[in-house]
């Protein structure tokens, strides 16, 4: 009498396939679990079904999904782990069939009283996520006074596995959302910190530099060296502060970009020239390999020059004595390509995606051999992106190549 016909089996498989599809397409967990409940009732020919979830705080089970007409009644009800069929299934992590609850003490009668309903028989399965039981799916009162079968149990177990998967997905989504919110908050704090520091440092630094320059003229030969040291270091500090506020400005979108007709070849030549002495002192061969073309483009020359300077500065900094650094500009289908190539210490592949982040340094900042704040590349990236361009790094074993790609004509 209980045996399923082939058509019924096909119907069941189709319903299950629908539910599997729902795992990725259902709009929310609630509607997905509702489908599971409805199918559990339909496929096992039961009167009712529900999903219970373990609640850590009360250490009891509570109803997560049920038929709509039971919702208000069941939502506030908690089911203890002792003295309930669901509790037994949860504890043991095993399925359970009770054909006659009157002779089985495991049934929890409170729910019947609350819902004004009498349970005769039930089938229940644990919801398991990675070996851990998180809840229970149960169906009640097989219709026509029939007995629950192994087949009912298999159906419920399949539905239970899908419900568990959906609950876990939702849990993961919730966790990802929470971490994203946390990250956004950290990012905001970082921005605030940069804005406040650069703003607060700028005025006193300006005063130090101004007065030191004035004093240098007054104190005469005797103290020139000391005054130069003060001015040099204050200038260095000023550069750091400017770097900070540059990052801040393009981050907040408040940067102003000039749109001049500029020669990229000229900018490259000027930048290379400005680093000649430093390269010489460190015994590094710095060369400009750009051909004779001017490579005109629409851009903000100061910003492009800062971006390229930061790349050349790094190339020299992260290359040992005897090494080579070359700069080259060329053009390709509406874009200018500026490449800075060195044969220095290189960058491990796993670090490449992160080096353009603010304050990111490959070596531990506290023990590293090189100076710097980890802002140079972030500034360069900001400047390039303000022009609708792209910047990236490549490194395989020895040496690094940094490439900037800039549109010849600025997008409107
Ligand atoms: P920093 O002030 O530390 O140089 P940057 O933002 O300019 O900051 O660079 C970030 C990190 O990327 C550096 O700390 C360095 O580890 C790595 N890096 C940048 N350019 C090079 C390069 N040409 N060769 C090797 N490593 C580099």
């Amino acid at each position: 009498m209980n045996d399923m016909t082939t058509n019924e089996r096909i119907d069941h498989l189709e319903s299950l396939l629908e539910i599997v599809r729902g795992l990725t397409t259902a709009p929310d967990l609630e509607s997905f679990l509702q489908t599971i409940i409805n199918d559990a009732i339909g496929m096992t020919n039961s009167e009712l079904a529900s999903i219970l979830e373990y609640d850590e705080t009360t250490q009891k089970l509570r109803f997560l999904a049920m038929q709509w007409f039971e919702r208000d009644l069941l939502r506030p009800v908690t089911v203890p782990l002792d003295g309930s069929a669901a509790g037994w299934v949860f504890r043991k992590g095993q399925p359970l069939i009770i054909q006659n609850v009157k002779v089985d003490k495991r049934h929890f009668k409170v729910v019947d009283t609350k819902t004004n309903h009498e349970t005769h028989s039930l089938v229940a399965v644990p919801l398991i996520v990675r070996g851990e039981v998180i809840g229970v799916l149960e169906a009640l009162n097989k219709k026509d006074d029939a007995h629950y079968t192994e087949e009912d149990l298999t159906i419920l177990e399949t539905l239970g596995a899908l419900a568990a998967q959906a609950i876990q997905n939702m849990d993961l989504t919730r966790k990802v959302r929470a971490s994203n919110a946390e990250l956004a908050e950290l990012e905001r704090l970082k921005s605030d910190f940069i804005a406040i520091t650069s703003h607060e440092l700028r005025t006193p630094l300006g005063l130090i530099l101004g007065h030191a320059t004035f004093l240098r003229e007054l104190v005469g030969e005797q103290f020139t060296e000391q005054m130069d040291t003060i001015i040099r270091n204050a200038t260095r500090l000023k550069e750091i502060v400017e770097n900070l506020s540059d990052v801040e400005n393009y981050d907040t979108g408040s940067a102003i970009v000039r749109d001049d007709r500029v020669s990229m070849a000229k900018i490259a030549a000027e930048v290379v020239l400005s680093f000649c002495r430093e390269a010489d002192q460190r015994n590094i061969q710095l060369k400009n390999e750009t051909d004779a073309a001017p490579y005109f483009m629409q851009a903000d020359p100061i910003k492009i020059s800062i971006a390229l300077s930061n790349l050349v500065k790094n190339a020299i900094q992260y290359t040992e004595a005897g090494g080579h650094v070359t700069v080259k500009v060329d053009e390709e289908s509406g874009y200018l390509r500026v490449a800075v190539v060195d044969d220095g210490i290189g960058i491990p592949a796993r670090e490449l995606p992160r080096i353009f982040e603010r304050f990111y340094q490959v070596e531990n900042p506290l023990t590293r051999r090189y100076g710097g704040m980890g802002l140079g590349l972030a500034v360069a990236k900001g400047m390039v992106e303000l022009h609708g361009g792209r910047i990236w790094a490549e490194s395989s074993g020895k040496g690094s190549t940094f490439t900037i790609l800039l549109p010849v004509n600025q997008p409107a």
Side-chain angles (χ1 to χ4, degrees), residues 276-293:
C276 264
R277 223 177 94 192
E278 195 178 329
D280 257 6
Q281 282 167 352
R282 306 208 36 220
N283 190 22
I284 287 167
Q285 240 188 66
L286 172 63
K287 270 198 304 194
N288 184 0
E289 291 188 342
T290 311
D291 59 26

Side-chain angles (χ1 to χ4, degrees), residues 99-111:
Q99 306 291 13
N100 183 358
V101 293
K102 288 208 180 67
V103 295
D104 197 309
K105 284 202 294 290
R106 283 174 293 196
H107 180 56
F108 183 57
K109 304 211 170 36
V110 176
V111 179

Side-chain angles (χ1 to χ4, degrees), residues 195-236:
I196 293 167
T197 327
S198 60
H199 187 256
E200 291 301 311
L201 288 178
R202 197 188 301 250
T203 316
L205 255 178
L207 287 171
I208 291 174
L209 259 177
H211 285 275
T213 313
F214 174 68
L215 278 178
R216 187 180 180 280
E217 304 303 315
L218 284 187
V219 293
E221 292 275 306
Q222 198 187 349
F223 295 108
T224 310
E225 205 184 315
Q226 283 86 344
M227 291 314 297
D228 278 349
T229 308
I230 293 175
I231 292 170
R232 199 172 52 248
N233 283 289
T235 309
R236 169 84 193 105

Side-chain angles (χ1 to χ4, degrees), residues 132-148:
E132 193 194 339
V133 185
I134 59 159
V136 175
L137 165 64
E138 60 180 11
L140 308 180
N141 291 355
K142 180 111 178 153
K143 287 181 191 159
D144 311 323
D145 284 330
H147 275 182
Y148 280 116

Side-chain angles (χ1 to χ4, degrees), residues 236 243 310-319 340-342 344-348 351 354-363 368 370-380 393 395 399-402:
R236 169 84 193 105
N243 258 343
N310 288 355
L311 298 190
V312 175
K313 189 163 144 199
N314 280 348
I316 294 173
Q317 168 143 305
Y318 298 108
T319 298
V340 180
V341 184
D342 68 60
I345 62 168
I347 303 164
E351 306 283 355
R354 300 206 58 192
I355 54 173
F356 293 94
E357 288 172 22
R358 291 177 294 171
F359 301 115
Y360 193 79
Q361 303 187 312
V362 173
E363 284 191 48
R368 65 192 230 117
Y370 310 96
M373 300 233 314
L375 281 175
L377 291 180
V379 170
S395 180
S400 315
T401 299
F402 283 79

